Amino acid sequence: MEELDCEPAVTWIPGVNSKKKQMCFDWGPGEMLLCETSFNKTDKSEKVPSCPFIYIIRKDVDVYSQILRKLFNESHGIFVGLQRLEEELSGKSRKAQLVRVSKNYRSVIRACMEEMHQVAIAAKDPASGRQFSSQVSILSAMELIWNLCEILFIEVAPAGPLLLHLLDWVRLHVCEVDSLSADVLGSDHPSKHESFWNLVTVLVLQGRLDEARQMLSKEADASPSSAGMCRVLGDLMRTMPILSPGNTQTLTELELKWQHWREECERHLQDNTFAANPHLESLCKIMLGDEATLLEQKELMSNWYHFLVTRLLYSNPTVKPTDLHLYAQSSLDMFLGGESSPEPLDNILMAAFEFDIHQVIKECSIALSNWWFVAHLTDLLDHCRLLQSHNLYFGSNMREFLLLEYASGLFAHHSLWQLGVDYFDYCPELGRVSLELHIERIPLNTEQKALKVLRICEQRQMTEQVGSICKILAMKAVRNNRLGSALSWSIRAKDAAFATLVSDRFLRDYCERGCFSDLDLIDNLGPAMMLSDRLTFLGKYREFHRLYGEKRFGDAASLLLSLMTSQIAPRSFWMTLLTDALPLLEQKQVIFSAEQTYELMRCLEDLASRRPECGEPDAQRLQVISNSWGDDSVLKWEDFLSQDFFHYPVILKHYPLTDSGPF
């Protein structure tokens, strides 16, 4: 059965006293709003909160760090590259490629850590300096854990090379020796420096025996009485058998050579070769793996895992991976000595030495401040095929669950949400649904951002989200009286109802202003014109204007008449269309045929039968046209049907004929 986690620790929020005031909250996609209500638990008569603040509680504050954003951006490229590389990974090259990916992740962590360290040094505010220093410690711990997981789970180093990797691991993460070496060697007389023997001891503890021999040569030059002892100890350091990467000797050969070398060290110690110099004698005992002597150097090692690796180097250099946890546990107990309890980092490293991958991920999830580390490490381990058998009790596997959590945190940021999209894409079970839910919550502050969101949705064929976003943007454009933009968004959303609404607004503005706005958009509607009848009418009516401006009066007249007779024009716009016909009737040449003129008369009669009230805007215009067309005293039906009708002088000063069109 899946082990359930215990209840999470309570987080106290400064300034909030839940014992005296009742609290209310509201969850957001990446944060929670918390505030006091107007009700007092103790005194019901008091209705005013004492703390009129709203607290924003973010679940992942690291996404707002400028430096950590580089970590997120750089690692995103590595993550996507790994997913695409999966198809090509096979055979012997698979392990090498995965190790390379792991090293790339670690290099990003280290670069970020170094930059954070520089910022911490340059910080003028002590509080900010402490905050940055704390972040440096977290990043250092992250790389320490990742490096160990790389050695144990990804490279899967066997006995022999395993210790070499662990030595490199310690040397990389316990780097105080470099500054100490620079300090000592920078003095006029290094062997007389107060930290000289500390430096030599640390070099021996880290297995850097060549450097230790060089330091001993300085002591031999400065002190002739110690020259012989330094030379003997230096020879022991030089002859210590170590399995180098290019060495072809077997583990059995190495163990035999190491046993002979160890006997040589014991003989010199028993013969009191170094009795005259306690420092040299202590170094010899360290090289024999004497645990009491090693524990005397706790301050120089500073942590138990350094003690562990030194202990293995001088007592069991061919340790097998399966025996690591025994040495690790005993080293931890010996180093702490019951004086203190293990820290979270100690528990994580111990779980790694026990080869308990799931416990490592669980402990890291609890201890670290964001999901970046566990999400990427778990994904990499999953590609190493180490987690396939582990499913969570609520339906998803561990890799996908952690990637979803990390991506959700990215979506709380105003720009990093774009990275989160790719993480959702590579979650086969719940990624699509999660992306749909999160993308709907992105605030569309600018049209540029909206276009990015829309492009993402269109690439993934998220039809419902595309329509929703376009409708939101269309409504915003309408509110800002940007009709062209509103029409463009409604067409993109394929929303016939909203396109009709915007088209009506275009026509209403035309009636009020006498001209169209956004002509480029209307002139290039193309097939989108068929989205709604009103949009079709708008496009065709604009085409009528263009034909009229080009003096193609016959085509313009046919189009105008078809707009009315096909019932595609809104009835409220018929008056404008009839008015548009008047300048065509004033032409000297015949524009409308008898049949077309009859259709115009029928439309006029249909409109007149509606009998608009005297106060309506179109009432006076209808009366003018009726007097010009339909009054028997002016125009008789016999004349209407004759060719002479077309030469009848229709004089309307309100609607003169112009070169640009009838308006």
Side-chain angles (χ1 to χ4, degrees):
M1 180 179 293
E2 180 70 28
E3 179 185 356
L4 300 180
D5 293 334
C6 58
E7 289 294 324
V10 176
T11 301
W12 294 102
I13 303 172
V16 175
N17 190 346
S18 59
K19 295 182 179 180
K20 293 184 178 181
K21 288 290 181 180
Q22 188 172 353
M23 311 304 296
C24 66
F25 64 90
D26 186 28
W27 287 105
E31 57 195 16
M32 180 177 72
L33 297 180
L34 180 68
C35 63
E36 293 182 358
T37 66
S38 59
F39 299 100
N40 194 322
K41 289 184 177 182
T42 58
D43 186 3
K44 295 184 179 180
S45 62
E46 184 183 354
K47 300 296 182 182
V48 181
S50 61
C51 185
F53 297 108
I54 295 178
Y55 298 88
I56 301 177
I57 305 172
R58 294 189 173 100
K59 71 175 184 179
D60 195 348
V61 296
D62 288 342
V63 298
Y64 299 94
S65 169
Q66 287 291 111
I67 299 176
L68 290 181
R69 284 182 60 182
K70 296 181 180 180
L71 174 68
F72 302 145
N73 280 303
E74 294 293 332
S75 59
H76 165 262
I78 300 173
F79 170 83
V80 174
L82 176 59
Q83 314 311 309
R84 295 172 179 171
L85 189 66
E86 174 62 24
E87 300 177 358
E88 305 174 8
L89 294 177
S90 61
K92 296 181 180 180
S93 64
R94 180 183 183 86
K95 178 180 175 180
Q97 292 281 13
L98 292 173
V99 171
R100 180 180 59 82
V101 170
S102 178
K103 292 183 183 297
N104 289 340
Y105 274 125
R106 287 201 296 114
S107 66
V108 171
I109 298 175
R110 180 159 288 273
C112 188
M113 179 177 62
E114 292 175 355
E115 183 176 354
M116 188 77 74
H117 179 64
Q118 295 301 322
V119 172
I121 295 174
K124 298 179 180 179
D125 181 16
S128 299
R130 288 192 296 271
Q131 182 180 358
F132 288 128
S133 297
S134 175
Q135 193 66 60
V136 170
S137 300
I138 294 174
L139 289 170
S140 178
M142 288 166 57
E143 199 210 348
L144 177 75
I145 299 166
W146 192 299
N147 196 353
L148 182 60
C149 291
E150 178 184 302
I151 295 170
L152 300 179
F153 304 136
I154 303 174
E155 286 193 286
V156 197
L162 173 62
L163 183 62
L164 296 179
H165 288 300
L166 291 177
L167 278 172
D168 291 336
W169 175 60
V170 166
R171 293 167 185 170
L172 180 63
H173 297 283
V174 183
C175 51
E176 292 83 357
V177 63
D178 296 323
S179 58
L180 182 61
S181 177
D183 188 26
V184 171
L185 294 176
S187 63
D188 296 334
H189 302 285
S191 62
K192 303 299 182 182
H193 195 280
E194 59 181 358
S195 300
F196 175 80
W197 288 109
N198 284 345
L199 173 60
V200 178
T201 303
V202 171
L203 291 174
V204 174
L205 291 172
Q206 290 193 6
R208 298 163 67 169
L209 299 182
D210 290 338
E211 296 174 60
R213 287 172 53 215
Q214 294 176 7
M215 300 304 297
L216 288 178
S217 66
K218 296 183 181 298
E219 168 66 14
D221 294 339
S223 177
S225 60
S226 302
M229 292 180 289
C230 290
R231 184 171 56 256
V232 172
L233 188 61
D235 289 340
L236 291 175
M237 293 179 181
R238 179 177 54 82
T239 57
M240 179 181 176
I242 298 177
L243 183 64
S244 58
N247 201 330
T248 58
Q249 63 182 336
T250 64
L251 289 180
T252 303
E253 292 174 342
L254 176 65
E255 289 175 350
L256 288 174
K257 290 181 180 180
W258 184 81
Q259 191 61 39
H260 290 307
W261 174 83
R262 181 183 175 86
E263 292 174 356
E264 183 71 11
C265 292
E266 288 179 344
R267 184 179 62 81
H268 282 292
L269 196 62
Q270 292 172 359
D271 293 344
N272 296 321
T273 304
F274 310 109
N277 191 322
H279 295 296
L280 296 177
E281 187 176 30
S282 176
L283 291 175
C284 186
K285 289 181 179 180
I286 291 174
M287 293 166 63
L288 282 170
D290 184 72
E291 294 178 353
T293 306
L294 288 173
L295 289 174
E296 290 175 0
Q297 311 299 331
K298 284 175 59 174
E299 293 184 0
L300 296 179
M301 288 184 286
S302 73
N303 52 67
W304 68 270
Y305 48 87
H306 187 183
F307 171 66
L308 164 67
V309 176
T310 303
R311 182 184 172 199
L312 290 173
L313 174 64
Y314 296 115
S315 62
N316 189 3
T318 57
V319 61
K320 297 178 181 178
T322 53
D323 296 332
L324 263 182
H325 70 282
L326 299 175
Y327 284 95
Q329 187 62 58
S330 61
S331 297
L332 176 63
D333 295 338
M334 292 168 61
F335 194 85
L336 296 180
E339 299 176 359
S340 60
S341 57
E343 298 289 336
L345 177 60
D346 301 330
N347 296 330
I348 295 170
L349 296 178
M350 185 58 64
F353 283 122
E354 293 174 352
F355 288 87
D356 191 343
I357 297 176
H358 305 123
Q359 188 64 24
V360 170
I361 296 172
K362 178 180 177 180
E363 294 285 350
C364 290
S365 300
I366 297 172
L368 298 177
S369 58
N370 61 70
W371 294 102
W372 178 90
F373 181 85
V374 289
H376 291 84
L377 179 61
T378 303
D379 174 67
L380 182 58
L381 294 177
D382 186 75
H383 281 85
C384 295
R385 299 171 181 171
L386 299 174
L387 298 173
Q388 277 77 0
S389 61
H390 188 77
N391 290 323
L392 303 180
Y393 60 89
F394 44 81
S396 181
N397 60 46
M398 181 179 288
R399 170 193 175 273
E400 180 159 328
F401 169 76
L402 294 173
L403 288 177
L404 292 174
E405 287 294 324
Y406 173 65
S408 298
L410 293 177
F411 263 80
H413 193 269
H414 64 88
S415 63
L416 291 178
W417 62 269
Q418 299 173 78
L419 306 181
V421 173
D422 287 326
Y423 289 94
F424 282 135
D425 282 344
Y426 290 106
C427 294
E429 293 185 31
L430 302 175
R432 169 84 178 199
V433 176
S434 299
L435 177 59
E436 292 174 351
L437 293 174
H438 280 81
I439 212 161
E440 290 175 351
R441 297 190 178 104
I442 298 176
L444 305 177
N445 304 323
T446 63
E447 190 163 321
Q448 182 181 7
K449 187 174 183 179
L451 287 171
K452 288 182 181 179
V453 177
L454 200 58
R455 193 179 305 113
I456 289 170
C457 294
E458 288 176 340
Q459 289 172 350
R460 290 155 182 80
Q461 299 180 347
M462 298 164 61
T463 308
E464 185 177 347
Q465 283 68 30
V466 169
S468 176
I469 293 169
C470 290
K471 289 176 185 178
I472 292 172
L473 296 171
M475 187 60 70
K476 285 184 177 180
V478 168
R479 291 191 185 123
N480 295 324
N481 202 32
R482 296 169 56 232
L483 298 183
S485 179
L487 183 59
S488 176
W489 286 120
S490 61
I491 291 174
R492 195 162 183 174
K494 296 181 174 57
D495 189 337
F498 204 90
T500 299
L501 173 66
V502 179
S503 300
D504 282 335
R505 284 288 300 272
F506 264 105
L507 296 174
R508 190 175 71 188
D509 281 6
Y510 167 76
C511 292
E512 294 174 354
R513 299 164 53 191
C515 63
F516 281 117
S517 59
D518 299 286
L519 288 180
D520 288 341
L521 176 63
I522 301 175
D523 287 342
N524 295 282
L525 286 174
M529 188 189 305
M530 307 305 295
L531 182 60
S532 74
D533 289 345
R534 197 60 45 83
L535 185 57
T536 303
F537 170 73
L538 177 63
K540 291 297 182 181
Y541 185 57
R542 170 56 192 160
E543 185 179 348
F544 161 74
H545 278 228
R546 188 169 60 255
L547 292 173
Y548 195 100
E550 296 171 358
K551 300 186 183 300
R552 296 165 59 185
F553 297 131
D555 295 337
S558 299
L559 179 57
L560 182 67
L561 186 63
S562 68
L563 291 177
M564 299 185 67
T565 56
S566 64
Q567 304 296 320
I568 196 174
R571 198 170 185 84
S572 60
F573 206 75
W574 277 23
M575 179 59 64
T576 302
L577 296 178
L578 290 170
T579 304
D580 291 342
L582 292 178
L584 294 173
L585 293 171
E586 290 184 326
Q587 296 292 314
K588 294 180 180 180
Q589 70 273 24
V590 175
I591 304 298
F592 289 104
S593 67
E595 184 179 355
Q596 288 176 326
T597 306
Y598 179 80
E599 289 295 331
L600 281 175
M601 292 295 297
R602 186 181 62 78
C603 292
L604 176 62
E605 288 179 353
D606 289 346
L607 189 60
S609 64
R610 181 173 171 266
R611 296 297 178 191
E613 297 180 3
C614 188
E616 293 186 7
D618 290 339
Q620 188 175 3
R621 295 172 64 190
L622 180 60
Q623 186 63 36
V624 172
I625 296 178
S626 298
N627 290 341
S628 302
W629 288 10
D631 192 342
D632 288 345
S633 62
V634 178
L635 178 64
K636 297 186 181 297
W637 284 103
E638 294 86 349
D639 295 330
F640 170 73
L641 295 174
S642 69
Q643 292 294 328
D644 293 335
F645 163 77
F646 295 145
H647 301 284
Y648 193 89
V650 180
I651 302 174
L652 288 175
K653 295 182 180 179
H654 296 286
Y655 306 100
L657 181 65
T658 63
D659 292 338
S660 60
F663 311 106

